[in-house]
Amino acid sequence: QVQVTESGGGLVQPGGSLRLSCAASGSIVSMNRMGWYRQAPGKQRELVAIISTDGTTNYAEFVKGRFTIARDYAKNTVYLQMNSLKPEDTAVYYCNVLGLRMGFVRFDSWGQGTQVTVSS
């Protein structure tokens, strides 16, 4: 099994910053794409940012220039640095990891989410 654990959410004022972390653990053979998604109340889950094995990144338009995704290959960890936060960034942020686990079986695992609230 593969476990995905997020941390780093919280309450921040508009214009502030937060850094989310996501660690994957378990019987992992290799990690492929890692990413962050978010879901605000009453809305569907949406892509925020993803990073591939070769370091290629993709961002949603609404976070370009404000958020940065990065990964630590040795630690099976992905980060999301969020700057210039806006109230509309308020949501539960979820980490998603794709890869291969023991037996070379593909996995597509989600974390339980971490709440980010941007409010004065």
Side-chain angles (χ1 to χ4, degrees), residues 9-90:
L11 173 64
V12 63
Q13 293 186 342
S17 298
L18 280 175
R19 188 192 193 210
L20 305 183
S21 299
C22 166
S25 61
S27 54
I28 297 170
V29 173
S30 65
M31 304 277 287
N32 297 331
R33 194 183 75 187
M34 305 180 78
W36 290 94
Y37 294 74
R38 71 185 189 186
Q39 188 167 18
K43 295 187 177 181
Q44 290 188 333
R45 190 172 298 188
E46 59 186 358
L47 171 70
V48 176
I50 55 175
I51 183 167
S52 300
T53 305
D54 64 359
T56 302
T57 57
N58 281 286
Y59 296 91
E61 283 297 324
F62 53 77
V63 302
K64 282 185 178 179
R66 301 189 297 125
F67 291 9
T68 302
I69 189 170
R71 64 190 286 178
D72 184 326
Y73 294 86
K75 297 181 179 180
N76 287 340
T77 299
V78 63
Y79 306 96
L80 186 68
Q81 178 66 44
M82 305 185 293
N83 299 328
S84 302
L85 283 161
K86 306 175 181 179
E88 50 264 44
D89 293 318
T90 296

